[in-house]
Amino acid sequence: GITNVSASIAAAANSGGGGKAKFQVNGACFLSQTAQRAMPFGSSTGESTSFSYITTYMIPADCKLVRVHTCSQSNAGTVTLKAYTIPDATADNTAISNGTLLQTVSVDNHNAGDPFEFTFGSTGTISKGKKFGLTVESDTNPNGFRFTAYFEEV
């Protein structure tokens, strides 16, 4: 499921620590192929060859993508994650190529059952209200694949 982002941001902002609000979103699906696929965010387990209402996440505050944690059911070899924003004027169900690529991060030897961290840091600011998408590609089929994306307010 999806973390209650509004509550998470409010709690972090009001924690008295003076730090920047952090929030996360997660998803999972069954990937039986290696081609680039858009990952679903909490509302579905179906990945896709396009960005849609299932494979995009509405950004709740100006932020940056900090990291993504993943785990797969099967050895996947090299796994590549790509972070995108999707143009506001683009209707749902648009080709991945219509997105704006923010950053690409890869991890070698993505072994079954092991947690992996993909560190992002060059995505720049993702504006509040933007649609965000995450794709995955791998050397071999990861089968069950789950992820959690961590953002920090800017």
Side-chain angles (χ1 to χ4, degrees):
I2 294 178
T3 299
N4 182 331
V5 176
S6 297
S8 296
I9 290 174
N14 295 322
S15 65
K20 297 185 185 225
K22 296 173 176 64
F23 55 96
Q24 67 188 48
V25 63
N26 54 328
C29 62
F30 188 82
L31 291 170
S32 59
Q33 58 190 305
T34 60
Q36 184 178 27
R37 305 291 282 186
M39 300 299 296
F41 287 96
S43 61
S44 170
T45 57
E47 86 291 338
S48 179
T49 57
S50 63
F51 288 122
S52 71
Y53 67 93
I54 293 170
T55 58
T56 57
Y57 172 69
M58 295 297 291
I59 296 296
D62 290 350
C63 64
K64 64 181 179 177
L65 177 63
V66 178
R67 66 186 179 280
V68 176
H69 289 176
T70 65
C71 186
S72 61
Q73 182 180 23
S74 300
N75 293 339
T78 298
V79 171
T80 301
L81 298 183
K82 295 180 180 180
Y84 291 87
T85 55
I86 293 74
D88 293 336
T90 303
D92 278 337
N93 209 20
T94 186
I96 291 171
S97 60
N98 288 336
T100 300
L101 179 63
L102 301 175
Q103 188 176 357
T104 300
V105 179
S106 296
V107 169
D108 295 327
N109 302 314
H110 197 284
N111 297 320
D114 290 343
F116 288 87
E117 182 173 303
F118 293 73
T119 303
F120 286 79
S122 302
T123 60
T125 298
I126 306 169
S127 299
K128 178 180 179 177
K130 279 287 193 186
K131 291 184 274 184
F132 173 83
L134 190 65
T135 66
V136 62
E137 297 172 69
S138 59
D139 288 340
T140 58
N141 297 340
N143 295 312
F145 189 85
R146 57 197 147 292
F147 71 93
T148 303
Y150 296 88
F151 298 86
E152 182 176 283
E153 192 171 15
V154 293

